[in-house]
Amino acid sequence: MTRAAEQVFDTSRDFAPALIGWYDRHHRSLPWRVNPDERQQGVVPDPYRVWLSEIMLQQTTVAAVKAYFEKFVRLWPDVVALARAESDDVMKAWAGLGYYSRARNLKKCAEIVAFEHGGRFPDTEAGLKALPGIGDYTAAAIAAIAFDRPAVVVDGNIERVVTRFLVCETPLPQAKPEIRAFLSTVLPKDRPGDFAQAMMDLGATVCTPKSPACILCPLSDGCRARSEGTQTRFPLKAPKAQKPERVGAAFVAVRGDGAVLLRKRIESGLLGGMSEVPGTAWTARQDGQTEVEAAPFAADWKRCGEIRHVFTHFALTLTVYRADLAAHPAPEDHWWSPRDQIAGEALPSVMKKVVEKAIPGATKARGKATS
DNA sequence: CACTCGTGGTA
DNA sequence: TTACCAAGAGT
């Protein structure tokens, strides 16, 4: 074999070592992570922290997760503590992070692990995937990261890295089997957890969606998209449908002492189990005026303005009304939230916008932290 | 498979 | 401002 041939990037031989070598030098240090040097010194990851972080990171940025992760481990240091927590307190702590079914399943999962598995997480992919909120990706990620099992981990970052490396012309999600097949051929048996985290770090910091830093990539010598200059064409995806518009009205009742009237949404569906101010249903845009008769009770409702919020599959414009009352009994299934507790309520971001529109500053924490 | 399900940051 | 997107899961 010639010298030149020896320098060619041999994917089956070089992929994992090149990636792991890069990871040892350029890994991110994150609150839930055991760094490679620590792991080499025998530090073992806490499956609870790995699990909690993976649930929070589903479709959510690292930057957004950090503060929530710290808050959760402070309030509930282990899975038994979380299992014993009040569901309402968990929803309050999750408020603002989005995808609230994750919080409901988080609690269910904690209870199963704490009360049915003796407080220990299953250490296999199949065992993990049987738990609520844990799907293909998360089961593989926990198995690999927490238990160092040779699981094939595929997330959005890894899909991007692999489809570029292979010049995969199959659009997602159909390309998934090809991606898994490729990864199974390069997965190292000795450090599967670090391999998975390395792939994700590479996707997050080097092989980024818009302007990948190929000059810094340890895999660039073997990357087909790099050689063709077509990196940003991948991964191929089906075009998205445009979002419909919906409208509605929200009513902020303010008592003399500053308390605000709230109610709880049903457990299932959009913003399930979260709190809100009373309001109309959110319907497709109609020319008719908003009906003030949808208010929780008759009062001098004054229009404050509108707020706009964009969900995953529709955009919403809410007309915000406010009424000031000396005192008024809370209607059935409603309650008056005291002024100093509003910031700690399980209000999703859209509802914080509504309350802020009616009462500027009301959702900002003041004085001592609550709960 | 297709659709539901949040939010905030970025170009 | 619009559009995309970030460690996906459940139905």
Side-chain angles (χ1 to χ4, degrees), chain A residues 68 71-72 76 86-97 99-107 264 267 271-275 344-348:
Chain A
Y68 283 86
K71 175 166 61 176
F72 268 70
W76 305 292
E86 289 293 332
S87 292
D88 284 350
D89 290 336
V90 176
M91 300 311 287
K92 287 176 181 175
W94 195 278
L97 197 55
Y99 285 140
Y100 298 99
S101 66
R102 291 185 296 173
R104 300 194 297 271
N105 285 329
L106 187 82
K107 183 67 165 67
K264 188 175 180 183
E267 291 295 323
L271 308 176
M274 300 297 285
S275 299
E345 292 285 0
L347 294 172

Side-chain angles (χ1 to χ4, degrees), chain A residues 12-348:
Chain A
S12 63
R13 179 193 65 192
D14 300 332
F15 192 100
L19 179 74
I20 293 284
W22 172 85
Y23 180 71
D24 286 340
R25 290 182 175 278
H26 301 292
H27 64 83
R28 292 176 292 176
S29 290
L30 303 170
W32 47 85
R33 173 175 286 178
V34 174
N35 289 329
D37 55 330
E38 298 174 312
R39 187 173 287 223
Q40 193 171 353
Q41 294 167 15
V43 178
V44 177
D46 178 355
Y48 171 70
R49 294 168 66 93
V50 174
W51 164 72
L52 179 61
S53 67
E54 290 299 342
I55 300 300
M56 288 183 167
L57 287 162
Q58 289 167 4
Q59 294 292 286
T60 308
T61 59
V62 166
V65 164
K66 279 182 178 172
Y68 283 86
F69 177 83
E70 301 286 12
K71 175 166 61 176
F72 268 70
V73 295
R74 174 167 45 80
L75 291 171
W76 305 292
D78 55 60
V79 70
V80 173
L82 183 56
R84 289 175 175 164
E86 289 293 332
S87 292
D88 284 350
D89 290 336
V90 176
M91 300 311 287
K92 287 176 181 175
W94 195 278
L97 197 55
Y99 285 140
Y100 298 99
S101 66
R102 291 185 296 173
R104 300 194 297 271
N105 285 329
L106 187 82
K107 183 67 165 67
K108 290 181 195 167
C109 182
E111 291 169 356
I112 293 171
V113 171
F115 304 141
E116 298 179 23
H117 295 281
R120 285 183 296 276
F121 281 84
D123 62 356
T124 64
E125 267 190 271
L128 288 161
K129 199 185 168 184
L131 295 167
I134 299 182
D136 288 332
Y137 161 76
T138 305
I142 298 174
I145 296 170
F147 301 110
D148 237 15
R149 295 203 176 267
V152 176
V153 180
V154 185
D155 77 323
N157 286 308
I158 297 176
E159 288 173 346
R160 186 170 57 255
V161 171
V162 172
T163 55
R164 285 174 175 173
F165 189 85
L166 298 177
V167 182
C168 179
E169 297 287 350
T170 309
L172 290 172
Q174 290 85 353
K176 204 116 178 204
E178 300 173 43
I179 296 168
R180 308 180 74 87
F182 170 78
L183 286 170
S184 66
T185 68
V186 297
L187 180 67
K189 293 176 171 46
D190 56 337
R191 295 173 62 183
D194 282 344
F195 179 81
Q197 293 177 98
M199 286 291 285
M200 291 189 277
D201 276 21
L202 187 70
T205 65
V206 173
C207 195
T208 55
K210 300 192 175 175
S211 54
C214 301
I215 193 66
L216 303 177
C217 181
L219 308 176
S220 62
D221 287 348
C223 181
R224 288 190 58 191
R226 161 68 164 166
S227 70
E228 298 176 5
T230 58
Q231 298 92 315
T232 56
R233 211 162 63 79
F234 303 97
L236 273 56
K237 292 180 181 177
K240 302 173 184 174
Q242 67 173 21
K243 292 176 182 176
E245 292 282 342
R246 293 188 192 177
V247 297
F251 301 94
V252 181
V254 185
R255 212 167 55 181
D257 60 1
V260 170
L261 189 70
L262 298 180
R263 66 184 182 187
K264 188 175 180 183
R265 297 175 64 89
I266 61 174
E267 291 295 323
S268 61
L270 185 71
L271 308 176
M274 300 297 285
S275 299
E276 66 177 2
V277 302
T280 67
W282 302 340
T283 61
R285 181 176 289 284
Q286 49 198 2
D287 292 329
Q289 292 297 315
T290 307
E291 305 181 24
V292 178
E293 27 181 272
F297 40 66
D300 182 21
W301 294 102
K302 292 177 179 171
R303 186 180 184 284
C304 302
E306 296 179 337
I307 66 98
R308 183 168 173 79
H309 193 78
V310 180
F311 293 95
T312 306
H313 54 293
F314 68 92
L316 176 68
T317 302
L318 287 179
T319 303
V320 180
Y321 292 88
R322 166 176 174 163
D324 292 86
L325 311 102
H328 197 288
E332 183 71 16
D333 295 328
H334 292 58
W335 72 92
W336 288 101
S337 179
R339 173 65 185 83
D340 62 356
Q341 289 185 22
I342 297 170
E345 292 285 0
L347 294 172

